[in-house]
Amino acid sequence: MLSLGVIHARGGSKRIPRKNIKPLNGYPLIAYIVRSALSSQIDRVIVSTDDSEIAAIAKQFGAEVPFMRPSEISEDVPSEQVTGHALEWAESNENSSYDVVVTLQPTTPFIEPSHIDNCLEKLSNNLEIESCFTAVRVTEPPQWMFAVEGELQIAKTFMSGDISGERGVYQELPPLFLPNGGAYATRVKALRKQNILIANPAAIVTVSHEKSVDIDEPIDWILAESVGSLHGFKPLL
């Protein structure tokens, strides 16, 4: 089962400028996922970026950057387009053929090689599964969430029913999981047929909360610095 890893790292991050190469506890953010991917069982790892500085830093930490991402997929586009482009480029320009493509993001820096490997192993051992992604158990159940309506902001539970009895006890609710943005392993045939990274049927690899930090807002950066310092998380150099 030949696999291609594609790290998404465009230059135009808005909420945290130059996020993908901003130092996180002394290392460029992209270094974390590059080193984890290279230490995993992925057969080949490449970075898809439109930015020459990101490309240079990714290469310093061992990644391949065989092309520069076209401008039309360097804005806010679905992730499957970026992964699909990288896959098509590799197959067309290098006469390669892959069975699985693994989408990776620098913004979940504490993903470990074992998490990636577990995704690949689930696909290898279960032919009925089309994709497998890293996920974290939610601590804010949708049963407790409200939508608001009208000028008076009338609040109604998003999922019908009252928050009472067992529904008000977290431990009594069924466990639910959210993709943490770390790794999405997808069979190539399923990606092309369904045009989605989480192709159905999908499986998950559960990751702890501290290793599921997903950097999107400035407050997330502060959290990542704190968690990384507390647990001594560093790129695998």
Side-chain angles (χ1 to χ4, degrees):
M1 196 175 73
L2 199 62
S3 56
L4 174 69
V6 182
I7 297 174
H8 293 197
R10 69 187 180 100
S13 54
K14 297 180 176 65
R15 298 181 183 92
I16 305 175
R18 309 300 291 161
K19 172 174 61 179
N20 287 318
I21 54 175
K22 181 178 178 179
L24 176 66
N25 292 339
Y27 299 92
L29 181 64
I30 195 171
Y32 289 81
I33 194 62
V34 165
R35 297 308 303 173
S36 287
L38 291 174
S39 299
S40 74
Q41 295 175 7
I42 298 175
D43 293 296
R44 187 186 181 200
V45 177
I46 64 175
V47 171
S48 173
T49 185
D50 61 328
D51 188 279
S52 58
E53 188 178 11
I54 292 176
I57 292 175
K59 290 177 182 178
Q60 288 178 11
F61 286 90
E64 294 183 61
V65 189
F67 61 84
M68 297 302 290
R69 191 194 301 185
S71 58
E72 60 267 23
I73 57 170
S74 295
E75 299 301 323
D76 294 323
V77 299
S79 295
E80 55 267 20
Q81 290 188 22
V82 178
T83 295
H85 169 267
L87 178 64
E88 294 292 342
W89 190 97
E91 293 188 338
S92 299
N93 290 274
E94 300 177 342
N95 196 28
S96 304
S97 180
Y98 294 95
D99 303 295
V100 173
V101 62
V102 185
T103 302
L104 303 156
Q105 300 182 117
T107 46
T108 311
F110 305 138
I111 288 295
E112 296 182 345
S114 61
H115 301 139
I116 301 170
D117 292 345
N118 287 342
C119 287
L120 291 172
E121 288 167 6
K122 285 199 174 185
L123 290 182
S124 179
N125 296 332
N126 302 278
L127 297 180
E128 69 275 15
I129 295 173
E130 299 289 14
S131 67
C132 184
F133 59 94
T134 54
V136 61
R137 183 173 178 179
V138 299
T139 56
E140 299 172 343
Q143 294 92 336
W144 296 354
M145 295 181 181
F146 286 80
V148 294
E149 300 177 356
E151 294 183 1
L152 294 179
Q153 297 279 283
I154 301 300
K156 295 183 178 180
T157 51
F158 181 72
M159 298 179 65
S160 60
D162 297 324
I163 304 178
S164 61
E166 291 186 353
R167 187 171 182 171
V169 181
Y170 177 78
Q171 291 79 5
E172 297 298 326
L173 295 173
L176 298 173
F177 298 87
L178 183 72
N180 66 5
Y184 304 82
T186 315
R187 295 191 196 277
V188 169
K189 290 182 178 178
L191 175 63
R192 288 177 170 149
K193 183 178 181 180
Q194 301 183 32
N195 193 32
I196 190 171
L197 297 181
I198 303 178
N200 294 306
I204 70 167
V205 168
T206 306
V207 179
S208 65
H209 282 89
E210 63 269 20
K211 293 180 180 177
S212 293
V213 175
D214 186 8
I215 302 173
D216 187 42
E217 302 283 352
I219 188 65
D220 301 327
W221 191 276
I222 297 172
L223 176 62
E225 287 183 324
S226 299
V227 170
S229 296
L230 179 64
H231 294 279
F233 295 156
K234 295 180 179 179
L236 300 170
L237 302 176

